[in-house]
Amino acid sequence: MKKTWIVLAVIAVLLLLAYSSVKNSYNSMVSMEEGVTAQWSQVENVYQRRTDLIPNLVNTVKGYADFEKETLTQVIEARAKATQVTVDPNKLDAQSIQKFQEAQTGLSSALGRLMVVMEKYPDLKANQGFLDLQAQLEGTENRITVERMKFNESAQGYNTLIRKFPKNIFAGMFGFEKKAYFEAEAGAEKAPQVQF
């Protein structure tokens, strides 16, 4: 009878240890996944800040560059396209992030063309409102870079956690999937050629 109680106590301790291990693994995966989701929200937040600055920039430019309608129209259309692309934070796969990044790249390209065109207008370049908006836009672009880096770091931590043994077993059991990263634009590895 005493041996039975000892065996039952050992089994109970092993079950308690297994339960504790599964619970801790599950909870740490949930915490890391929520961290990735929160960081994704911050990425979207800074992109939204940039999107919110564009109407003010376009309105400021309109008064100075009446005949640059095509460039302004491209910026407005790119902004509309970028705001239509949304990503479900629970489905941060490579395809979703690439689609989001492509829409944002289109907007960045249109803004870049607008800034080049604005170089032709000395009155506009001297306008304090335009200069303030330009500085805010530059600051926002820096924030985007920082938040994308933080997102990649958060995704890396989560991906590492769910791939390590024995957590990879629990991750598979509970449906935790790998998160995608922001990647450099195609051709970004090549330095631009500057000719004088």
Side-chain angles (χ1 to χ4, degrees):
M1 189 68 149
K2 190 175 183 179
K3 286 184 181 180
T4 304
W5 285 109
I6 292 173
V7 170
L8 289 175
V10 168
I11 290 173
V13 166
L14 290 175
L15 287 174
L16 186 62
L17 288 173
Y19 167 77
S20 178
S21 175
V22 170
K23 180 185 80 128
N24 289 338
S25 293
Y26 180 82
N27 288 343
S28 62
M29 286 184 276
V30 167
S31 295
M32 293 290 285
E33 186 175 47
E34 286 300 315
V36 171
T37 301
Q39 191 55 50
W40 175 255
S41 295
Q42 190 57 29
V43 168
E44 288 182 321
N45 181 31
V46 291
Y47 274 113
Q48 183 63 48
R49 175 181 162 76
R50 178 176 72 172
T51 303
D52 292 345
L53 288 172
I54 291 171
N56 294 334
L57 186 65
V58 167
N59 287 333
T60 302
V61 170
K62 273 184 185 176
Y64 287 89
D66 288 334
F67 51 91
E68 296 291 351
K69 298 271 189 235
E70 183 181 344
T71 305
L72 293 174
T73 302
Q74 289 172 351
V75 170
I76 292 167
E77 288 172 357
R79 179 185 182 269
K81 184 179 178 183
T83 57
Q84 289 174 352
V85 176
T86 58
V87 177
D88 179 2
N90 297 318
K91 191 174 190 258
L92 292 171
D93 59 9
Q95 183 180 7
S96 299
I97 289 180
Q98 181 181 5
K99 195 173 170 183
F100 180 83
Q101 192 171 353
E102 285 172 0
Q104 296 301 329
T105 299
L107 181 55
S108 294
S109 178
L111 281 172
R113 285 190 302 274
L114 177 66
M115 291 303 162
V116 168
V117 167
M118 294 308 98
E119 290 296 316
K120 296 185 215 173
Y121 300 96
D123 291 346
L124 178 60
K125 290 185 343 186
N127 177 292
Q128 191 59 47
F130 176 76
L131 293 174
D132 290 345
L133 286 168
Q134 190 176 19
Q136 286 184 40
L137 198 55
E138 288 170 3
T140 299
E141 292 297 330
N142 290 335
R143 289 179 187 178
I144 288 170
T145 301
V146 168
E147 294 305 332
R148 284 173 49 154
M149 181 190 67
K150 287 180 182 178
F151 172 80
N152 281 350
E153 289 171 351
S154 180
Q156 179 189 16
Y158 167 79
N159 290 340
T160 301
L161 178 77
I162 67 168
R163 292 182 64 213
K164 284 185 176 179
F165 183 81
K167 291 185 177 43
N168 62 341
I169 296 169
F170 303 132
M173 286 174 30
F174 295 117
F176 289 95
E177 295 179 359
K178 187 177 176 188
K179 304 295 182 188
Y181 300 104
F182 272 103
E183 295 180 3
E185 307 280 332
E189 70 280 357
K190 297 177 186 170
Q193 288 186 341
V194 178
Q195 296 179 353
F196 295 101

